[in-house]
Amino acid sequence: MASGGTAGRDPYDEEAGGRRPLELDGRDAAAAASSSDHRPGNAMPRYQVGSTKGNTRYPEGSQIPSTDDVRKNKPGSRYYTAFGVDLSPDNMAVAIVYFVQGVLGLARLAVSFYLKDDLHLDPAETAVVSGFSSLPWLIKPLYGFISDSIPLFGYRRRSYLFLSGLLGALSWTLMATVVSSKYTAASSILLGSLSVAFSDVVVDSMVVERARGESQSTSGSLQSLCWGSSAFGGIVSAYFSGSLVDTYGVRFVFGVTAFLPLMTSAVAVLVNEHRIPSGECSILLSGSGFVESSKQHVRQLWTSVKQPNIFLPTLFIFLWQATPQSDSAMFFFITNKLGFTPEFLGRVKLVTSIASLLGVGIYNYFLKEIPLRKIFLVTTIIGSALGMTQVLLVTGLNRQFGISDEWFSIGDSLIITVLGQASFMPVLVLAAKLCPPGMEATLFATLMSISNAGSVTGGLVGAGLTRVFGVTRDTFGNLPLLIVVCNLSSLLPLPLLGLLPEESGDTDNGETKHN
């Protein structure tokens, strides 16, 4: 059930994958609320991208070892590997946090049905609520700066991971108990989105430190571990996301989901981080020093972003993500018109979760040596063509070919998810490689925030088009036209492929990073 082009990770979806229509599912089931990162048809995820820590200037003479330093001092043979990455304790912590993002998809369908059936929102309203819930993903550099500049209890990483987990548990507890309007629902989901976004910042900081200076293939392995973990979490929660809604209702699902973010709090102890002495914490937070550090931080960020070799690729990614999406409208069509039940959509989500993991594997083993321009060109064209197959479902032509609505939806969702995930992995790798030494964390967060802003923009433009074409809860006459417009629009950024760096997959791209 894909809709719209192919694109990035969605703020409400915790799965990983390519850019999909903003739907009501969830990357971050805690992250954004009615949309999903997930992607097509509301049963699939859209993705939103993680970000990372900021650049901190330590007091002269002091040296705070990073998790990357710790990793280098460990014998590589001591650990098992996955996707070519050592499963050391801190790497496991990163993988588990991403796993939690995926397993939070348990509430994705519950949120979608809650907004549609309990709050009686129309497709355009659900898209707006989803966009609002995604706002925390647009200011990730702020979280990185806070984490780097304001140690809590002597830690920059552990403390914030712990608090993020508690914040996520609180948001879903509110959804399970007191939320009763679209405003309180949007606020609660916004809180959960903030929880996931902040934890992303912390764990991605470790990923970016390790990706810096590596080839595209090696850094792609790191990203594959993260997104593979997220996709696996999506598989774990997939089927039950629908069956639990059918059997126990949305409030029960929200209550169960409230326990999942606590896993993030628990694994915080695995982060290999040295405690900062209280005296050094005071120096870091001292008045004039802190203000000067903040100014210097902003100046460095602006200096980096305005460089053509960073600004131009970022502009392309924004435009690539900002094309309109029709997934909210498709979710209403498949549930109100075709009568798909939560249990069936849970099965579709299981298929798309497996497909998402498959997409990670395809990129990791077959595509990471391919030039970025070629990947974007081929996947965008194929994604746009495959997205048109939704017209067959909406018009009922699939039944004339002897294919039931259910099987057509499953097959369509599977193919689009694999393609979307494989096409989105290069975005993460490119963002990590564009970051120069010393600004890798904050700049990566900034680039991912811009990418997420593109996704939100696409969702809001899609909401406007849904309203313009007169698609409502029960009126779907112009839905085929909406699907066609959204899919064709995904081709618009292709003439700008020249903005991307021209490099082969195994190139280190040192010039880009050090300019």
Side-chain angles (χ1 to χ4, degrees), residues 132-188:
F132 174 77
S133 305
S134 306
L135 292 179
W137 294 93
L138 308 186
I139 53 174
K140 282 190 164 186
L142 176 62
Y143 313 146
F145 181 71
I146 292 174
S147 176
D148 278 347
S149 304
I150 309 177
L152 292 180
F153 309 109
Y155 295 102
R156 291 185 171 88
R157 310 294 170 236
R158 290 182 178 181
S159 301
Y160 287 103
L161 277 181
F162 183 80
L163 292 178
S164 294
L166 295 183
L167 190 64
L170 172 62
S171 69
W172 290 109
T173 299
L174 294 175
M175 287 291 292
T177 54
V178 302
V179 169
S180 60
S181 71
K182 62 182 178 182
Y183 300 107
T184 55
S187 299
S188 182

Side-chain angles (χ1 to χ4, degrees), residues 342-411:
E343 182 175 5
F344 174 74
L345 291 180
R347 295 175 184 175
V348 174
K349 182 178 179 296
L350 175 61
V351 171
T352 57
S353 297
I354 296 174
S356 183
L357 189 59
L358 178 61
V360 173
I362 289 176
Y363 172 79
N364 193 57
Y365 292 105
F366 300 106
L367 300 180
K368 63 184 180 182
E369 304 293 340
I370 305 298
L372 296 173
R373 294 182 185 180
K374 183 177 294 186
I375 294 179
F376 279 110
L377 175 64
V378 174
T379 57
T380 299
I381 292 176
I382 296 177
S384 178
L386 291 176
M388 294 295 186
T389 59
Q390 286 191 318
V391 175
L392 302 179
L393 182 65
V394 172
T395 58
L397 290 177
N398 58 290
R399 292 189 292 273
Q400 296 184 21
F401 293 104
I403 306 175
S404 68
D405 293 335
E406 290 78 8
W407 281 108
F408 187 87
S409 297
I410 290 175

Side-chain angles (χ1 to χ4, degrees), residues 123 464-479 482:
L465 289 177
T466 300
R467 182 82 70 181
V468 169
F469 286 114
V471 178
T472 65
R473 298 173 56 87
D474 305 303
T475 305
F476 304 103
N478 288 330
L479 182 55
L482 175 63

Side-chain angles (χ1 to χ4, degrees), residues 128 133 140 235 284 391 433 438 453:
V128 172
S133 305
K140 282 190 164 186
I235 293 173
L284 290 172
V391 175
K433 290 176 67 61

Side-chain angles (χ1 to χ4, degrees), residues 465-506:
L465 289 177
T466 300
R467 182 82 70 181
V468 169
F469 286 114
V471 178
T472 65
R473 298 173 56 87
D474 305 303
T475 305
F476 304 103
N478 288 330
L479 182 55
L481 181 58
L482 175 63
I483 293 171
V484 170
V485 171
C486 289
N487 278 282
L488 289 180
S489 69
S490 67
L491 301 176
L492 294 177
L494 293 185
L496 301 176
L497 277 172
L499 299 179
L500 294 177
E502 185 174 6
E503 61 172 13
S504 58
D506 56 357

